[in-house]
Amino acid sequence: MNLDGRTRRGCSLDRRESLRSATGYANMLRTSLMSASNEYDLPDESAVSLQEDLRHQISTTILDRAALLTADTVAIFPYSGSEPLETEYCKRAGELIVQLLAMAVREGRVDARSGFVADLNRVALERSLTAERLFTFVYLLERTILDELALSDRIGASSEPWPVVAQLVRRATIDLLAAYTDRVQLDPAEATVVDRLTTLYTRVMMQAVLGKELERAGRFGHRLSLILFDVDNLSQINREHGYGVGDRVLERLGIVIRQYFRQHDWVARHFEDAIAVLLTHTEADRAAELAERVRATVSDRLGFTDHRSHRQVDVTVSGAVVNTRAGHAVDADHLVARAEEALARAKRQGRNCIVRVDD
């Protein structure tokens, strides 16, 4: 694990310098957007409901076509800088940015302290992504979104509300970048060890630990289990009940999961809605039992009532357990890939279940 202080300080200085330049760029764009608002007047107070309906249509379209929008942008972005980026990494970042842009359009703001913005900062830190390059990614996605929305019969380029539609998307872009900028300025060293929302370890930390533990298991033949939990339908929960609700679900999930594992077990936020647990010196049956107990507890305790509709909302997780006795070298990426494949199988089997894989 490379936690050398000089290395971290060097990366932090590079990011701060990059951020100062990006912040100036964002401020310039903000001013430009304010000037543009004179050209296309947004609905006045008498038409608030109309604007709300328009925001809903835009955000719903973005979320419904999130996979397509991400794929089209990722086809371009990895080669936009001096060094190419892995496609899977770009896909993960793109999916998160699309969610954030949809949220920004729907709610008309982005909270710099929200879990989604923290996720974006954490993903950027994984590859030391500069602010300028991240901004490029966001603007490529904005262009892709506008191209897709332009084809709509109801709100597309040939429709009457199109100038307002385009402006709402551009404002959402600025709101997102401003929130990200504020987040990094508030805590430029965030997300290297502990995830702020769940208070679990970060993916970066887990990646470093997993490599070391696999090496140790390979030398001594110890048992090792990797468990992945993923919140079922979190995007739908966010869409129907608000993104703050999704943050609270993840926060409570972190608290619940910590109760079931030992102090020396590694529990980390794996992706935006997924949590990973690394168990060493644990019998395979015991690892599977713990995963099932977590699943049952989440199903019993994490549901909530939407006070606006008084509707009960169920919260469940799907899970995967990969057990191995590493008497030989095991590749960390291969182990994670097997766990993710098993997790996808749990989703296909109807969710709210655990799939076990034994080597």
Side-chain angles (χ1 to χ4, degrees), residues 116-137:
F116 279 90
V117 179
D119 289 342
L120 184 58
N121 188 24
R122 178 168 53 82
V123 169
L125 283 165
E126 284 184 27
R127 298 294 186 276
S128 299
L129 204 63
T130 64
E132 286 90 349
R133 197 164 187 192
L134 180 66
F135 281 26
T136 298
F137 200 169

Side-chain angles (χ1 to χ4, degrees), residues 49-239:
S49 62
L50 181 61
Q51 183 182 137
E52 286 300 308
D53 180 63
L54 194 56
R55 288 183 182 277
H56 177 74
Q57 288 185 60
I58 297 169
S59 61
T60 300
T61 302
I62 291 173
L63 291 173
D64 287 346
R65 302 177 188 176
L68 175 65
L69 295 169
T70 302
D72 286 351
T73 307
V74 167
I76 303 170
F77 176 70
Y79 311 101
S80 62
S82 57
E83 296 182 5
L85 295 165
E86 304 96 321
T87 301
E88 282 304 311
Y89 169 78
C90 294
K91 180 181 176 183
R92 187 154 52 90
E95 290 170 349
L96 179 56
I97 294 169
V98 168
Q99 291 274 343
L100 276 163
L101 285 172
M103 177 181 70
V105 171
R106 182 68 185 88
E107 301 183 6
R109 60 185 290 273
V110 180
D111 185 354
R113 297 183 181 275
S114 77
F116 279 90
V117 179
D119 289 342
L120 184 58
N121 188 24
R122 178 168 53 82
V123 169
L125 283 165
E126 284 184 27
R127 298 294 186 276
S128 299
L129 204 63
T130 64
E132 286 90 349
R133 197 164 187 192
L134 180 66
F135 281 26
T136 298
F137 200 169
V138 175
Y139 281 109
L140 285 172
L141 263 170
E142 177 199 272
R143 188 176 69 189
T144 305
I145 288 170
L146 287 174
D147 288 345
E148 186 67 24
L149 290 174
L151 302 175
S152 169
D153 293 333
R154 297 184 62 189
I155 58 175
S158 60
S159 69
E160 184 178 348
W162 173 249
V164 177
V165 171
Q167 188 180 4
L168 287 173
V169 172
R170 293 187 181 108
R171 283 190 173 180
T173 301
I174 298 301
D175 288 340
L176 166 56
L177 295 178
Y180 172 78
T181 301
D182 290 342
R183 182 74 187 216
V184 177
Q185 289 176 328
L186 285 169
D187 193 350
E190 171 161 333
T192 54
V193 177
V194 176
D195 175 67
R196 281 276 180 108
L197 180 62
T198 62
T199 68
L200 304 175
Y201 288 115
T202 62
R203 178 180 171 85
V204 173
M205 188 70 173
M206 177 62 90
Q207 285 175 324
V209 169
L210 182 58
K212 294 294 183 183
E213 290 295 346
L214 281 171
E215 181 184 339
R216 186 177 293 117
R219 279 204 311 270
F220 302 109
H222 296 158
R223 292 187 181 276
L224 185 146
S225 298
L226 179 65
I227 306 175
L228 288 186
F229 298 105
D230 186 273
V231 181
D232 295 324
N233 301 315
L234 185 62
S235 295
Q236 183 178 341
I237 291 174
N238 281 325
R239 187 186 312 183

Side-chain angles (χ1 to χ4, degrees), residues 278-322:
L278 179 63
L279 304 176
T280 58
H281 303 281
T282 302
E283 294 296 323
D285 289 345
R286 177 60 175 163
E289 177 191 345
L290 287 168
E292 176 57 30
R293 288 177 62 187
V294 169
R295 184 208 62 76
T297 300
V298 170
S299 181
D300 290 342
R301 298 184 186 176
L302 259 65
F304 62 92
T305 300
D306 186 331
H307 296 291
R308 295 174 299 182
S309 63
H310 303 289
R311 182 163 67 91
Q312 180 65 27
V313 180
D314 294 329
V315 176
T316 62
V317 295
S318 299
V321 184
V322 178

